[in-house]
Amino acid sequence: MNTLIAISGLGVFCLIAEIFNLRKLLVPIALIGLLAILGLTISEFNTPASFYNNMIVVNKFSVAFSSLFILLTIFLVALSGDFYKEHPTKISDFIAIKIFLLSGAVAMVSFGNLAMFFIGIEILSISLYVLAASRRLDIKSNEAGMKYFLMGSFASGIILFGICLVYGATGYFDMIEIYDLSQGIGLPVWFPIGITLIIIGMLFKIAAAPFHFWAPDVYEGSPSLTTATMSTLAKIVAMATLYKLLSGLTSLSPKVELLIVIISILSMTVGNIMALRQKNVKRMLAFSGISHAGFMVMALLSMSTAASTLLYYTAAYALAGIASFAVIIYVTTNKDNEDISNFNGLGKNNPLLAAILTASLLSMAGIPIFSGFFAKFMLFEQTIKAGYLVVVIAAVINSIISVGYYFKLILAMYTKEASDEKQTVPFVYYAVAVIAILLNIILGIYPSFVTNLLS
């Protein structure tokens, strides 16, 4: 609760700072504030679970994921200063929206009541609608904002209808009461229908197939920093929330587990096969994100150990995503498109950024020594123990396929001639990219640092 109040206060401060013309100090102040909030959040990790009228539940799960969300927001805000330098009068708006988005993310993993859960989703979603369409004079940004708004609104409507059915069946919004009633017999048929609708809505939010069709166009049309936010922060928030919703049920029914198996295999396969055909880097990473959503959904097949595995996988994926987008934003700035050809010769022009992008792509592909490899390894091990060997076989095949499109970008950097001259890189891009990929490698070397948090 303290974290949520502090984040909201920082967001309001960013808006007020505009009145006093503190634009130049806004990014440093926001970063210092977020670091202080991160420290406050981590300090609550070993304290007993707190229940604020069961609207907000502060426990190890919510603190661990909230800390990850705050860390990612620090990276995104750090990149904002240079990214929005052409719009200095609006920078306070963009930073405040990202911080309010973070408050929605924290509410989504800390809820103890379906009303708070829905409020968190709406704060997160509305912030992303605004950011997706934030380039008013860019037709692609307008299209991305409209598509995301329409599809996100449909998903939110489905979730809200599911919540209404759950409330109608149980008479409660409180999750503890709902879980207690779900253990017994005699709940009306609309209770499982309501739960199913909520799950479908959340699958829209994480862009898992067959609910993924909005993602490639929205990722391509949105400003690159917004795409980075959707690909990393928004996706893992939705995944953690989906786990939290299902974790209170003692066991998933065989039909739900079959549905998870189908969605997992379909997401991995559709995402990877479609990514092979892409020439636009942002569309390629959109389909890559769809395939990673399939891997994340796999964790739900072993609910008893899913929390620590999911935290590790989302941390590995998000850190690699932030590192890659820091490079992509630099390379594609002032370019008409985000085609792979823009990366030709980057290995010669800027070896450090090329090495960071290579490392982040190798992590996403699941190559040792990066944490992406160990995340997949743990996921496969637990899924085999749960008795779903067929899903692991499909996942291994898809991991091999993914190497194809990741290496297409790597080969462009190291084997093709550069089309333009070397440009100076702002320090913030180096800082964010290097810190994110180092954290990724450290998690690969010491996976127990994260996996032991929720075990």
Side-chain angles (χ1 to χ4, degrees), residues 253 311 361:
S253 69
L311 177 62
L361 294 174

Side-chain angles (χ1 to χ4, degrees), residues 92-119:
S92 61
D93 301 336
F94 289 125
I95 292 176
I97 288 171
K98 284 184 174 62
I99 292 171
F100 287 130
L101 182 153
L102 175 61
S103 68
V106 171
M108 283 176 71
V109 292
S110 306
F111 72 92
N113 185 295
L114 287 175
M116 181 58 71
F117 158 67
F118 191 73
I119 289 170

Side-chain angles (χ1 to χ4, degrees), residues 404-421:
Y405 58 84
Y406 290 132
F407 266 84
K408 187 160 63 173
L409 184 53
I410 293 170
L411 289 173
M413 291 191 288
Y414 290 103
T415 64
K416 297 186 179 179
E417 288 299 319
S419 56
D420 53 6
E421 294 297 319

Side-chain angles (χ1 to χ4, degrees), residues 266-329:
L266 192 63
S267 296
M268 289 186 284
T269 307
V270 169
N272 282 320
I273 289 174
M274 292 303 294
L276 287 170
R277 302 172 54 86
Q278 304 306 315
K279 294 181 180 178
N280 184 291
V281 173
K282 281 160 73 175
R283 285 186 76 86
M284 186 185 83
L285 289 180
F287 283 110
S288 168
I290 292 164
S291 74
H292 280 284
F295 282 98
M296 293 177 199
V297 169
M298 277 176 65
L300 301 178
L301 294 171
S302 50
M303 291 294 287
S304 59
T305 54
S308 58
T309 308
L310 196 58
L311 177 62
Y312 187 75
Y313 194 102
T314 52
Y317 167 74
L319 289 170
I322 288 288
S324 62
F325 268 102
V327 180
I328 290 165
I329 290 169

Side-chain angles (χ1 to χ4, degrees), residues 35-52:
L35 285 169
I37 293 168
L38 179 60
L40 174 67
T41 306
I42 293 171
S43 71
E44 295 181 331
F45 188 77
N46 287 319
T47 57
S50 305
F51 300 85
Y52 297 87

Side-chain angles (χ1 to χ4, degrees), residues 19 30 37 41 75 102 133 136 166 177 224 249-250 261 272 304 365 442:
I19 300 171
I37 293 168
T41 306
F75 288 135
L102 175 61
R136 294 184 299 105
V166 170
E177 299 288 354
S224 295
L249 305 173
T250 50
V261 167
N272 282 320
S304 59
I442 289 167

